[in-house]
Structures are given as structure tokens and as C-alpha cells.
């Protein structure tokens, strides 16, 4: 069943994925819109332990961005935090697992073709979008 909140989240992630792929950065305005929508959907259903767990995972990603000198971009971490608030802890971890799986495949292809350079940058939002879409598509089967 097509639910409005899942469609909105998927469309927003898709837009962020395209922008991240083309420009290697995401607009702050879209991150603000995503944060407001995540909070609205969260408040509509009432926050629970899963929401807090998702926020904790997102906060850990923000801390990791700070510690690594933004090797994982702040924009990516803010998006993960928003997804954590919206999806909850376990669903966010599933999306991240799928995203890192797809990212690993992409990195392997890059290494096989031309090797990695230290300056190489792979946008992360396309992989978040793929993980979210796959999780949402398989929702009835899992």
C-alpha cells in the first residue's frame, strides 16, 4: 500500500540522491524540509523508543563526521539523523546496512577499474535512497 509519508520520504531521498550525485553536496533547505517532515510524521504517530534509537544512531553519525573531519559529510549525517527520527532505530540500521552494501559494491568497481585516490568522493545519498527503496519494496515480504 502506498502511504503518504513513505512516498514523501522516498521522493525527498530521490531528489537528494540526484543532487548529491551531480553536485557532490546537498542543499541545506532540503535538509531542513526533511527534518520538519520527519518531526511532523513522528509527532503524528507519537515518539517512542524506536524514534529515540533512530535519533541516537543519527547523532552517532554526526559525531563520526566531526571526529573524522567530515570524511562522512555533515549533510549525509543530518539526513541519517532525520531518517532515524522517521524510521526508528531498527529500520534505519537496515537501510544503512543496505546502503553500505551497495556502496561497497560501487567501491569495489572503482578499485577494479582505476583504483582509489585519496581525493575520491562517492556521494552517499544515492545508496541511502537505494537502501530505503529496497526496504520499502520488500516490506510486505520481511
Amino acid at each position: 500500500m502506498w502511504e503518504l509519508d513513505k512516498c514523501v520520504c522516498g521522493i525527498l531521498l530521490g531528489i537528494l540522491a540526484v543532487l548529491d550525485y551531480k553536485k557532490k553536496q546537498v542543499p541545506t533547505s532540503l535538509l531542513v524540509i526533511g527534518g520538519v517532515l520527519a518531526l511532523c510524521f513522528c509527532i503524528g504517530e507519537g515518539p517512542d523508543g524506536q524514534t529515540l534509537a533512530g535519533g541516537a544512531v543519527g547523532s552517532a553519525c554526526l559525531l563520526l563526521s566531526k571526529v573524522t573531519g567530515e570524511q562522512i559529510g555533515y549533510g549525509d549525517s543530518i539526513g541519517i539523523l532525520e531518517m532515524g527520527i522517521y524510521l526508528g532505530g531498527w529500520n534505519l540500521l537496515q537501510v544503512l546496512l543496505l546502503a553500505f552494501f551497495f556502496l561497497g559494491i560501487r567501491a569495489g568497481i572503482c578499485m577494479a577499474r582505476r583504483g582509489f585516490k585519496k581525493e575520491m568522493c562517492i556521494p552517499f545519498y544515492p545508496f541511502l535512497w537505494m537502501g530505503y527503496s529496497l526496504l520499502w519494496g520488500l516490506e510486505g515480504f520481511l
Side-chain angles (χ1 to χ4, degrees):
M1 184 56 132
W2 291 73
E3 298 175 27
L4 179 63
D5 56 341
K6 291 182 182 179
C7 290
V8 170
C9 185
I11 290 169
L12 187 60
L13 272 175
I15 292 169
L16 288 168
V18 169
L19 292 173
D20 194 20
Y21 182 77
K22 289 187 176 196
K23 297 181 180 183
K24 303 287 191 262
Q25 62 181 2
V26 293
T28 307
S29 59
L30 285 179
L31 291 175
V32 169
I33 291 169
V36 169
L37 289 173
L39 288 174
C40 287
F41 290 134
C42 171
I43 291 170
E45 294 185 6
D48 59 2
Q50 283 297 316
T51 302
L52 296 174
V57 171
S59 297
C61 287
L62 274 171
L63 180 64
L64 188 62
S65 293
K66 179 74 173 167
V67 169
T68 62
E70 207 175 348
Q71 291 295 317
I72 297 173
Y74 286 124
D76 297 329
S77 295
I78 291 170
I80 292 170
L81 174 64
E82 292 171 357
M83 286 180 65
I85 292 169
Y86 168 67
L87 293 174
W90 288 116
N91 288 335
L92 176 65
L93 290 175
Q94 290 174 336
V95 168
L96 287 175
L97 180 69
L98 289 169
F100 283 120
F101 174 75
F102 292 129
L103 181 64
I105 291 172
R106 173 72 170 116
I109 291 169
C110 287
M111 287 176 60
R113 282 190 174 170
R114 61 183 180 267
F116 262 153
K117 296 181 175 84
K118 187 172 182 170
E119 306 82 35
M120 187 171 186
C121 175
I122 298 176
F124 191 58
Y125 270 101
F127 301 104
L128 279 176
W129 179 72
M130 286 191 289
Y132 177 80
S133 299
L134 186 61
L135 185 68
W136 184 30
L138 294 175
E139 184 177 43
F141 299 105
L142 298 176

